[in-house]
Amino acid sequence: MAQPGGNITGFAVLENAIAGKWVEALNEIAPQVSRVGLILHPETPANIGLLRAAEATVPSGLKLVPLGVHDTAEIERAVATFAAEANGGLIVVPHAITFANRDVIVELAARFRLPAVYPFRTFATSGGLVSYGTNTMVVWREGASYVDRVLKGAKPAELPAQFPTKYELVINLKTAKALGITVPPLMLGRADDVIE
C-alpha cells in the first residue's frame, strides 16, 4: 500500500476491522440485544469482508444474521422479518444501496424499535441512533490534495494509499430517548458529537 504501483493510489473510507467496533458499539449501547442483523449488499467483496470481520468479533451469546439486500423492497422485507423476533439490533454496512436508502433504514429501525449502528455521521443526523466511521469530509479534503499533487507532476504510484487514522462516534440522544435507551456515560464521554 505504501507504493501501489501503476496509476493507482487513493484513500480508503473504512477498514474491515471497524466491523468489530460496530458490534462493540451496539453491544455497549444496547446490551439486551442478542441478535444483530447486518444489512449489506451480498455480492460486494468489501461488504463480505466487513461481514467476516464482524463474525470474527461477535461475543458468545450474540447471533449475527446477514441481511443481504439489493433494493428498497428487500430492505423493508429483511428488516420486518428480522424484527419479528425479540432483542434485535442492526448494523448497516456502507454501500450505495444502504446509503441511498438511509432514510428508509433509519425509519424502519425506529418503527421496529431496533437500536442500530451506522457507518457514517449522516445516518445519525438523519435520526439514526449511533454512527461510527470516517468523517468523509476529511477524506475528500485529503483526496483533493492528492489530485493537486498529481496535477503538479507527482506520480500516483509514489503517493501511498491511505487508510483512516481517526473514526468519529456520533450519538443521537433524541433517538436513544425514543427507543428507551440510556446511553452509558463512558460512551457519551467518548462521543465526538452528541445530537440532542
Side-chain angles (χ1 to χ4, degrees):
M1 297 305 278
Q3 295 182 334
N7 290 317
I8 296 177
T9 191
F11 294 82
V13 178
L14 300 170
E15 291 185 78
N16 284 350
I18 197 168
K21 297 295 185 183
W22 294 332
V23 172
E24 287 176 21
L26 184 59
N27 197 34
E28 185 175 2
I29 200 163
Q32 77 282 2
V33 167
S34 60
R35 297 176 318 106
V36 178
L38 199 75
I39 301 175
L40 63 113
H41 187 265
E43 289 84 34
T44 299
N47 279 202
I48 299 305
L50 289 162
L51 169 63
R52 299 292 173 250
E55 289 172 337
T57 62
V58 169
S60 64
L62 195 62
K63 180 181 177 186
L64 192 66
V65 181
L67 303 176
V69 298
H70 299 91
D71 57 34
T72 306
E74 283 187 3
I75 291 169
E76 291 171 344
R77 280 193 303 273
V79 173
T81 300
F82 178 79
E85 291 183 45
N87 298 324
L90 297 175
I91 293 175
V92 179
V93 175
H95 187 275
I97 297 296
T98 56
F99 195 77
N101 286 282
R102 170 180 78 243
D103 293 335
V104 171
I105 295 169
V106 167
E107 189 278 322
L108 288 166
R111 181 185 332 152
F112 291 111
R113 302 189 55 73
L114 296 168
V117 175
Y118 303 91
F120 301 115
R121 162 188 289 275
T122 187
F123 285 88
T125 58
S126 294
L129 178 60
V130 173
S131 69
Y132 186 68
T134 309
N135 181 331
T136 53
M137 295 303 292
V138 171
V139 175
W140 292 334
R141 257 193 314 274
E142 291 173 351
S145 73
Y146 266 31
V147 170
D148 180 59
R149 290 168 69 179
V150 169
L151 290 174
K152 290 179 178 173
K155 294 180 180 168
E158 295 171 359
L159 300 173
Q162 296 191 36
F163 287 89
T165 57
K166 182 181 184 320
Y167 292 104
E168 65 177 4
L169 174 66
V170 180
I171 300 171
N172 188 319
L173 286 181
K174 288 169 49 176
T175 301
K177 183 177 179 182
L179 292 172
I181 291 174
T182 301
V183 180
L186 286 175
M187 190 175 197
L188 272 176
R190 288 193 321 270
D192 295 284
D193 194 8
V194 176
I195 299 168
E196 298 187 55

